[in-house]
Amino acid sequence: MKGKKYLKLPSALVGARVRLGLRQKTVAIDTGLGTSYLCALERGRRPVPADDVLDRLAGSFVALPQAAVELRWAATHDRVMQTLDADGQGDLAEVVSLAMDAARALSGAKRVGLANVLARALRSSRFLESLEARAAQSANADSQEAPIE
């Protein structure tokens, strides 16, 4: 996966487990998952698991309530990254990941402001594309005119 460096679930899993002082083997036993599977999840070598697996993982971190929220958000984020990669658009991963992080960190008017900035950037890009297309058409028309002698 090209966007692998943008994955959030591996660090959310490791972070929750380490904060609670749990070993991989303990979490694997508590969740009914294989230790090698859990290790692969923590290293970003497996796709985001199904919701029932995420529920079991969150259940093993019940002493850390924020961990369930972090796991859910990280899973959602990583599913988007995996979808981009599967659709051959892995090069968008950085921008989408940053936009998701920013949208999550901001609230209210600041989130609306971010949306407005992104909308302006899109409009500017479209405007520049239209100018480039007009310039290309003009150059094409100029080159097709026969010299009058």
Side-chain angles (χ1 to χ4, degrees), residues 65-82:
Q66 187 61 23
V69 174
E70 291 295 322
L71 286 177
R72 290 264 173 236
W73 185 85
T76 299
H77 174 278
D78 291 1
R79 284 181 178 135
V80 171
M81 297 298 106
Q82 290 170 352

Side-chain angles (χ1 to χ4, degrees), residues 98-122:
L98 287 170
M100 289 179 75
D101 285 344
R104 183 171 188 239
L106 301 174
S107 61
K110 290 179 181 177
R111 191 176 289 167
V112 171
L114 172 64
N116 289 336
V117 166
L118 293 172
R120 278 195 306 270
L122 180 59

